[in-house]
Amino acid sequence: MNIPMAKAKAQLSELVKRAQAGEKINLTKHGEVVATLSAPIRAGGSESLFGALKNQIWISDDFDELGPEWDEYIK
């Protein structure tokens, strides 16, 4: 559901209740989505993000090493 910001101001309590019930509400300004109201993420629930990317992210051993092009800046 898309709703203009001006209208959302007057209906905020109702929109929050609808978001808590699971409805996704997009707030728009001049027809463009600028924010979204949605149900909160509950810790430990099926929507928990903790550990969601385990074994999917790799960081190179030389991640924090600068190349020679930076020598003049770090002297």
Side-chain angles (χ1 to χ4, degrees), residues 1-6 8 25-37:
M1 161 187 217
N2 291 346
I3 187 164
M5 289 286 291
I25 300 165
N26 295 317
L27 305 179
T28 63
K29 191 170 188 178
H30 305 295
E32 185 176 329
V33 175
V34 294
T36 301
L37 294 177

Side-chain angles (χ1 to χ4, degrees), residues 5 15 56 65 67:
M5 289 286 291
L15 294 173
Q56 295 183 33
E65 292 180 18

Side-chain angles (χ1 to χ4, degrees), residues 49-65:
L49 297 177
F50 184 74
L53 296 176
K54 185 176 182 179
N55 298 324
Q56 295 183 33
I57 295 177
W58 171 79
I59 298 176
S60 172
D61 292 336
D62 63 353
F63 165 77
D64 57 350
E65 292 180 18

